[in-house]
Amino acid sequence: MRNDSRLSRMLHVLIHMDKHQHSATSDMIAKMLNTNPVVVRRTMAGLREQGYVRSEKGHGGGWTLVRPLSDITLLDVYRAIGEPHLFAIGPADDQPQCLVEQAVNIALGDAMKEAQALLLRRLDSVTLDKIAADFEAKLTAHPATSYSCAS
Amino acid sequence: MRNDSRLSRMLHVLIHMDKHQHSATSDMIAKMLNTNPVVVRRTMAGLREQGYVRSEKGHGGGWTLVRPLSDITLLDVYRAIGEPHLFAIGPADDQPQCLVEQAVNIALGDAMKEAQALLLRRLDSVTLDKIAADFEAKLTAHPATSYSCAS
DNA sequence: CAAATCGTAACAAGACAAGTAACATGATAC
DNA sequence: GTATCATGTTACTTGTCTTGTTACGATTTG
Ligand code: FES
Ligand code: FES
């Protein structure tokens, strides 16, 4: 569990949802993600709140994709899951009045801000249908590959 | 303890070591960092191995800066402490054979690789004396500020 | 009503930096 | 040469965050 994989997982789910027309239950998605349905509901809640997917209770219910993949960027998904912390490193807060610590944290913070801006810009520039197209390309390149779990 | 602050802490220490000529004990540094001496020794071990500082046992011992700040970049320090993980997010590894998961992880990984490259490039472009100069500038701008802990 | 399905709260597990305690080792002072 | 100072190292605990799990309630369909 070394890294936060929510963004990666949600992208995976959304693209699969686009392939299958019918709705997917949390149980099915959980098997896809090799986890359990509560984790799925927890993570997908943000996507529902932002209007990217819809969930329906009861018999025959489940999750459905509401908007086309071409309308959703990686950044949208990142925001929808609550903009989790991107970096594992960060400033020290040991002597907040020390001007050296301040200067260090500013230098470090500047570099991190730039890297974060670049990353978010990159996420914003890619829509999910682009990744789906990459997937299709792989599929035609290696048609023999079994690309599926149980779903 | 939300973030890994080793890099920030070590930069802080190295700059202070340059200001004070005499050697600093792990105890003194620990007070500076609001922590305890074992953490200091643990974190500074890498800096010693890379030859940026030297440590001496016994009465009158402690840590001394071996190389001038202008010879040390932020990247050098980052490497010396063992290149800890930069990102808190990462790829999912739930269905490694799924071509969708692969495509997602490639897209995400590309963006992260670029951001990481930018960050490391930035760290490489800044030497510690640059931060020390920023500190001096602050000091002359606000000479009344008490900028010191107990050290 | 019964079964399916989501929503949510509460709690356990795993990972990892940070904090702490204990003890060995080496160097200096007297 | 002994006491003291200081680092080196190991082992263990703590804090925090994602992930996993269990339990239960609410809603929809058959
Ligand atoms: S999880 Fe991607 S194929 Fe089933
Ligand atoms: S810690 Fe920076 S002034 Fe003492």
Side-chain angles (χ1 to χ4, degrees), chain A residues 8 86 88 94 105 114 122, chain B residues 8-9 86 88 105 114 122:
Chain A
S8 176
L86 289 175
D94 303 311
N105 285 342
E114 278 189 32
R122 282 288 313 251
Chain B
S8 176
R9 278 180 155 178
L86 290 175
N105 286 342
E114 279 189 30
R122 281 288 312 252

Side-chain angles (χ1 to χ4, degrees), chain A residues 95 98 100-101, chain B residues 12 16 32 147-151:
Chain A
Q95 300 288 347
C98 169
V100 176
E101 183 178 283
Chain B
H12 183 186
H16 269 310
M32 247 178 69
Y147 72 92
S148 130
C149 60
S151 77

Side-chain angles (χ1 to χ4, degrees), chain B residues 7-8 26 33 84 96-98 110 124 130 144:
Chain B
L7 176 55
S8 176
S26 301
L33 297 184
Q97 296 151 335
C98 169
D110 282 352
D124 194 33
K130 162 76 166 46

Side-chain angles (χ1 to χ4, degrees), chain A residues 5-65:
Chain A
S5 57
R6 283 176 288 180
L7 177 54
S8 176
R9 279 179 155 179
M10 288 305 97
L11 298 175
H12 183 186
V13 169
L14 289 170
I15 293 173
H16 269 310
M17 285 174 71
D18 183 60
K19 301 254 166 282
H20 311 344
Q21 255 62 10
H22 45 296
S23 72
T25 66
S26 300
D27 253 300
M28 293 163 55
I29 298 174
K31 284 188 186 88
M32 247 178 70
L33 297 184
N34 211 25
T35 177
N36 84 49
V38 177
V39 173
V40 173
R41 296 193 188 107
R42 190 155 63 204
T43 313
M44 308 238 331
L47 297 178
R48 182 186 50 228
E49 282 155 24
Q50 297 308 310
Y52 299 117
V53 299
R54 191 176 53 225
S55 67
E56 276 161 322
K57 296 180 172 180
H59 208 118
W63 300 84
T64 48
L65 188 57

Side-chain angles (χ1 to χ4, degrees), chain B residues 6-65:
Chain B
R6 283 176 289 181
L7 176 55
S8 176
R9 278 180 155 178
M10 288 304 98
L11 298 176
H12 183 186
V13 168
L14 289 170
I15 293 172
H16 269 310
M17 285 175 69
D18 182 60
K19 301 256 166 281
H20 312 344
Q21 254 61 11
H22 45 296
S23 73
T25 66
S26 301
D27 253 300
M28 294 163 53
I29 297 174
K31 283 188 187 90
M32 247 178 69
L33 297 184
N34 211 25
T35 178
N36 84 50
V38 177
V39 173
V40 173
R41 296 193 187 108
R42 189 153 65 202
T43 314
M44 308 244 321
L47 297 179
R48 182 187 50 230
E49 281 155 25
Q50 297 307 311
Y52 300 117
V53 298
R54 190 176 54 225
S55 67
E56 276 160 324
K57 296 181 173 180
H59 208 118
W63 299 84
T64 49
L65 188 57

Side-chain angles (χ1 to χ4, degrees), chain A residues 2 5 12 33 51 78 80 89 97 100 103 106 112 114 116 120 127-128 144:
Chain A
R2 193 169 198 162
S5 57
H12 183 186
L33 297 184
Y78 170 67
I89 65 173
Q97 297 153 336
V100 176
I106 287 173
M112 287 175 62
E114 278 189 32
Q116 166 155 348
L120 295 185
T127 55
L128 295 201

